[in-house]
Amino acid sequence: MDPGSRIHSITQGLNKEQLAAVTSEHEGPVLVLAGAGCGKTSVLTRRIAFCACTRCDRESILALTFTRKAAGEMAERVARLDGMTPAHKMPLITTFHGFGLRVLKDTVGGTRNFERLGYEKEPELLPERYRLEMLAQCCSKDERRALGVDLVKLDNHICTLSVFPQKLSKLSSQRMQVLESISNRLREQKRAENRWEFSDMITETLRIFEMNEEITGHYQQKFRAILVDEFQDTNPLQIHLLRKLLCKSNTLFAVGDDDQAIYGFRGADIGPIMNFETCFPGANIYKLQTNYRSIPKVLNAANRIFKEKPKQLRKVLRSGKYSAEESRQFPGPSKRMFKTQEDMVSWIHARACCIAAQYEIPVCKMALLFRTNQTLEWTKERYATPGIADEELPVFSTIHGAKGLEFPVVFLCDLEEGVFPNYRLRKSQKIRTWGDVFKRFVLQKKPPPPECDIDEETRLFYVGVTRAEKILYLLSCAQKYEHGRRKKYGASRFLRLV
């Protein structure tokens, strides 16, 4: 097949936004801001094939993602595209950690890279259960006491130190020195026992790059096209790795959605996607805003969540699947407030059965999404009464667990202030006068406490809303169980956004 025919086949069926991104001739960095349900994986896989057809050899293409499952699915989709049969060498599609491991095992200039770090032979993976034992050997009780942490918290601090040290800025310089000393001892102990961990795959690769510019240049020349999936989930260490790999002779093509950045608690940093042109000068930004998942009524609700966002990054989703006429048969997003969780569970069960009969949507295709595992488990136990068939059970999931999925009907639960957005509620005073009523009203308008990342909580709410294809319910309870006791809650501030 000639190149022209291959390009036509690769790009067939793409909308104008997708086509512009896939066929971009921009020589500098490219960011594709892909709205929920707008076909980001299709754009990324076709861009890989487009690069193989027009820019470089297949083995000069590196695509990075975050899970082995995502990497495997992406590789399968690329292999199915015309001209990309596995008969020849395929692009390297792997995780960030998988790429680091590959580099560490590589031989460059007659020397295996891990040998440059002081390992005499290829290290074995350190079992997770043994990590804390090794860490205990590398520090004293006095040091842990000086840091004010137990062994588990110390382990978390060391992980943060290697990935996102800025998050430890509150530590005094003296405590930071203690922490760095323990971290260095742990690294030397692993080396002495010929062990490494998944977290070392990137840190040790960076160490090699910083030790030897020739090796860095080798990988810069080897990969002419570098693509990144879910760019909003990168952490500072991964961004550092990307910068090391980039040079004048290769390109970066990143796909992500800043509105779906929900893994800050794992160390992900939204900064690089929000400030892409600053992080990667000379960049072009494309937007995907045609949604192939939800009816217009759901998309209108989702668009209202970020209506105050700066225009440069704001995406306005429109349906590429349903017309306004087709969506009229479905109700718009609906809010429901319940006195108790028991009332909510009874209503959901009845409503799900009613929807199944009216719209011929099986209950097992519907989803109940939660902010917390505690509410999920409580609800699941009371919904699954004895004798209920599997086809009568909906999907139960946290919103984090449902990211990337879609359901014709979504019951979005936990919409109480303090639960979603999630933070510890301060003990409120009793209401005795009209003045107290006013104070309580004003109090709800105040910002959440500092320990709440309200921006990430808002993005999590957006992810929950955009899981719905046709019908969306937003549910709140005035009373909920917490550690076996009933607790009173007010409605979430998020209910005012849609």
Side-chain angles (χ1 to χ4, degrees):
M1 185 183 292
D2 65 272
S5 299
R6 281 180 60 195
I7 292 174
H8 176 75
S9 177
I10 290 166
T11 59
Q12 193 171 16
L14 296 177
N15 64 37
K16 289 182 180 180
E17 295 170 337
Q18 294 169 334
L19 181 64
V22 168
T23 61
S24 172
E25 295 293 337
H26 183 63
E27 293 299 323
V30 168
L31 171 65
V32 180
L33 287 172
C38 291
K40 93 175 163 56
T41 305
S42 181
V43 165
L44 192 60
T45 53
R46 294 186 193 220
R47 176 67 179 184
I48 292 171
F50 181 81
C51 287
C53 183
T54 64
R55 288 186 165 232
C56 56
D57 296 333
R58 297 180 186 189
E59 54 265 39
S60 297
I61 298 172
L62 169 65
L64 297 169
T65 188
F66 287 88
T67 66
R68 283 182 289 181
K69 180 182 178 183
E73 290 174 351
M74 194 186 305
E76 289 178 7
R77 290 183 65 163
V78 169
R80 290 199 296 267
L81 295 171
D82 283 341
M84 295 296 290
T85 54
H88 306 285
K89 285 187 176 180
M90 293 294 287
L92 176 56
I93 302 174
T94 185
T95 64
F96 278 93
H97 289 92
F99 172 72
L101 181 60
R102 186 177 291 257
V103 170
L104 292 173
K105 289 183 174 183
D106 263 358
T107 299
V108 180
T111 303
R112 299 192 74 176
N113 284 334
F114 63 75
E115 294 175 0
R116 304 175 195 275
L117 295 168
Y119 293 103
E120 295 182 2
K121 59 181 181 179
E122 184 176 320
E124 297 179 0
L125 194 64
L126 178 70
E128 191 172 338
R129 66 182 182 277
Y130 183 49
R131 176 182 169 86
L132 287 182
E133 293 180 28
M134 184 179 284
L135 180 58
Q137 297 169 14
C138 297
C139 66
S140 67
K141 290 183 179 179
D142 287 341
E143 286 176 317
R144 295 200 296 272
R145 193 178 298 114
L147 290 169
V149 297
D150 59 15
L151 205 57
V152 173
K153 189 68 178 291
L154 175 60
D155 189 34
N156 291 337
H157 275 5
I158 288 176
C159 290
T160 303
L161 180 66
S162 66
V163 175
F164 208 157
Q166 296 92 323
K167 288 194 172 184
L168 296 172
S169 59
K170 292 182 180 179
L171 288 182
S172 67
S173 59
Q174 186 177 4
R175 287 185 172 184
M176 186 64 81
Q177 288 176 1
V178 173
L179 187 63
E180 289 173 347
S181 175
I182 296 172
S183 179
N184 290 336
R185 273 177 259 153
L186 179 63
R187 182 167 57 250
E188 291 303 320
Q189 184 67 24
K190 285 189 286 189
R191 197 165 294 166
E193 296 189 20
N194 206 58
R195 303 272 197 172
W196 58 20
E197 303 178 82
F198 283 114
S199 59
D200 297 323
M201 303 300 101
I202 298 177
T203 55
E204 297 291 68
T205 295
L206 282 169
R207 200 178 300 279
I208 288 174
F209 286 172
E210 286 160 2
M211 287 167 46
N212 194 315
E213 290 185 3
E214 290 184 8
I215 293 179
T216 306
H218 168 80
Y219 290 100
Q220 288 174 341
Q221 295 301 315
K222 182 174 182 177
F223 297 109
R224 308 300 299 276
I226 300 171
L227 303 95
V228 182
D229 188 23
E230 303 285 10
F231 187 75
Q232 77 280 353
D233 293 335
T234 53
N235 64 40
L237 212 58
Q238 291 157 345
I239 293 296
H240 189 188
L241 178 63
L242 287 175
R243 284 178 168 155
K244 282 289 186 183
L245 288 171
L246 291 173
C247 63
K248 292 182 179 179
S249 60
N250 60 22
T251 59
L252 171 66
F253 187 91
V255 180
D257 185 4
D258 53 304
D259 294 337
Q260 297 188 74
I262 59 173
Y263 294 111
F265 67 96
R266 291 184 184 171
D269 181 16
I270 194 174
I273 195 171
M274 297 291 286
N275 305 291
F276 191 81
E277 292 167 298
T278 302
C279 291
F280 301 96
N284 264 16
I285 296 179
Y286 297 84
K287 292 182 182 180
L288 305 182
Q289 301 176 97
T290 305
N291 174 285
Y292 294 96
R293 174 185 298 158
S294 306
I295 65 171
K297 292 174 182 177
V298 171
L299 297 181
N300 291 339
N303 289 334
R304 286 194 289 272
I305 296 171
F306 293 114
K307 65 181 179 181
E308 304 298 331
K309 193 174 180 180
K311 187 176 181 181
Q312 182 185 9
L313 292 172
R314 186 170 71 244
K315 296 176 290 296
V316 180
L317 302 182
R318 55 185 177 273
S319 180
K321 185 176 182 179
Y322 299 99
S323 66
E325 182 66 32
E326 288 175 308
S327 70
R328 281 198 185 112
Q329 62 178 304
F330 302 107
S334 177
K335 305 171 189 178
R336 289 287 188 276
M337 318 291 179
F338 301 94
K339 183 177 180 181
T340 67
Q341 288 174 279
E342 291 88 348
D343 293 341
M344 184 190 75
V345 172
S346 297
W347 182 86
I348 292 175
H349 185 273
R351 190 66 198 141
C353 294
C354 182
I355 292 171
Q358 183 176 355
Y359 297 101
E360 297 183 347
I361 300 173
V363 173
C364 61
K365 299 292 185 182
M366 305 177 194
L368 274 63
L369 303 184
F370 301 85
R371 175 63 182 88
T372 69
N373 280 305
Q374 182 182 345
T375 321
L376 187 160
E377 295 300 331
W378 190 97
T379 307
K380 189 175 182 179
E381 286 176 10
R382 282 145 186 85
Y383 194 101
T385 53
I388 193 168
D390 287 344
E391 61 268 18
E392 296 178 272
L393 280 174
V395 174
F396 294 85
S397 174
T398 61
I399 303 171
H400 284 100
K403 186 175 178 291
L405 304 179
E406 54 193 46
F407 308 93
V409 180
V410 167
F411 297 90
L412 187 54
C413 307
D414 277 345
L415 284 165
E416 299 87 29
E417 193 68 16
V419 180
F420 196 10
N422 189 257
Y423 61 90
R424 186 178 295 278
L425 284 171
R426 296 188 178 97
K427 189 174 182 180
S428 57
Q429 296 178 344
K430 292 183 178 180
I431 297 177
R432 296 186 176 90
T433 66
W434 283 110
D436 291 337
V437 172
F438 175 74
K439 287 178 183 178
R440 175 68 62 84
F441 177 77
V442 172
L443 204 63
Q444 284 192 342
K445 296 283 187 176
K446 285 186 176 181
E451 66 268 19
C452 174
D453 187 340
I454 190 62
D455 292 334
E456 181 152 322
E457 291 289 312
T458 305
R459 295 191 292 269
L460 189 60
F461 177 60
Y462 175 85
V463 169
V465 168
T466 53
R467 297 312 93 196
E469 298 174 359
K470 299 171 181 176
I471 300 175
L472 171 66
Y473 292 104
L474 307 167
L475 309 181
S476 177
C477 297
Q479 298 177 25
K480 300 187 79 165
Y481 286 99
E482 185 176 302
H483 307 300
R485 299 179 63 183
R486 281 191 186 272
K487 188 173 180 179
K488 293 182 179 180
Y489 288 92
S492 170
R493 67 185 65 208
F494 291 153
L495 291 173
R496 299 196 292 266
L497 294 181
V498 296

